[in-house]
Amino acid sequence: MTANRDFLDEGFRAVGDGLLRIVDRASLHLQPLALTKRMRRRCMAGMRQLTLILRRLLFLLALSIVLPPAKPRHRSGAACPDGVEDVTATFRAPVRGIALVPGLSGAFPERLRSLTRVIVSGPVPAAPVLARWAALHRILQAPDAHARRLAQTLRRWRLRGEPRPLVAPLAGAHRFSPALGLVAAVLPVHLKRALEAWPDTG
């Protein structure tokens, strides 16, 4: 765990440094109301890259966390009538900021995304960029707490017999800074080793 912890700390530091470069480039610390379209595209593209690496770092950290035994949940209320299924266990509270695990529906196809946009000329609102910055910063301030919540999700996946997650190399790693590129290149190796203990349901 010590070697992994050292690597994780370096990874979180590299993501934080990358975020600071984006903030400085766009002067986000001045809380602008608007950005040029080009600057907003550059900021969001850079933050998406950081988000991908951060998710994998949290995933690796979550796999190393040993949780106490789960407490049995006591169901309250009357039993459902025959032919009625209780689906309340599948409800999930909305998560503000950045989702640490992908949703079941998958991402919206990029080729269709342009059909949902309203073409705006001139400066565009900076609010989405500021919100993404705040979400990333919040996670970087307390990665262990976020990883612990993710570890609970992973435990539920194991109990349900979900297949072992596959971790593919990150595309476009050549565009990262040297520090981020090194973290992105080594992450799949650490994750593959950490996932060896995952029950093979295949």
Side-chain angles (χ1 to χ4, degrees), residues 19 39 58 62 96 111 139 143 167-168 187-188 191-192 199 201:
L19 186 59
M39 180 57 71
L58 291 170
R96 296 180 61 186
R111 64 182 182 276
I139 295 174
V167 181
L187 257 173
L191 284 168
K192 183 178 179 180
T201 57

Side-chain angles (χ1 to χ4, degrees), residues 35-90:
L35 295 169
T36 65
K37 286 190 286 187
R38 181 181 179 186
M39 180 57 71
R40 188 170 79 166
R41 276 198 306 270
R42 290 182 65 185
C43 288
M44 293 303 283
M47 289 184 185
R48 277 194 295 270
Q49 291 177 338
L50 295 179
T51 300
L52 289 173
I53 296 176
L54 183 56
R55 279 177 179 156
R56 292 186 175 208
L57 288 169
L58 291 170
F59 192 65
L60 179 59
L61 179 54
L63 288 169
S64 69
I65 295 176
V66 179
L67 296 171
K71 297 179 180 179
R73 295 184 177 181
H74 299 287
R75 298 181 62 180
S76 58
C80 293
D82 291 340
V84 177
E85 180 184 3
D86 182 7
V87 297
T88 55
T90 64

Side-chain angles (χ1 to χ4, degrees), residues 133-191:
W133 169 32
L136 285 167
H137 180 71
R138 187 164 54 247
I139 295 174
L140 288 169
Q141 289 295 102
D144 290 85
H146 288 83
R148 191 170 186 84
R149 288 195 286 272
L150 179 55
Q152 293 169 347
T153 298
L154 297 181
R155 177 167 64 182
R156 289 194 294 270
W157 286 4
R158 288 193 188 98
L159 292 176
R160 291 205 306 260
E162 297 288 347
R164 180 186 303 162
L166 298 177
V167 181
L170 277 174
H174 62 281
R175 294 193 295 268
F176 297 155
S177 68
L180 279 173
L182 180 60
V183 171
V186 178
L187 257 173
V189 178
H190 283 284
L191 284 168

Side-chain angles (χ1 to χ4, degrees), residues 24-41:
D24 181 64
R25 185 190 307 132
S27 299
L28 298 181
H29 56 288
L30 299 179
Q31 300 288 314
L33 295 177
L35 295 169
T36 65
K37 286 190 286 187
R38 181 181 179 186
M39 180 57 71
R40 188 170 79 166
R41 276 198 306 270

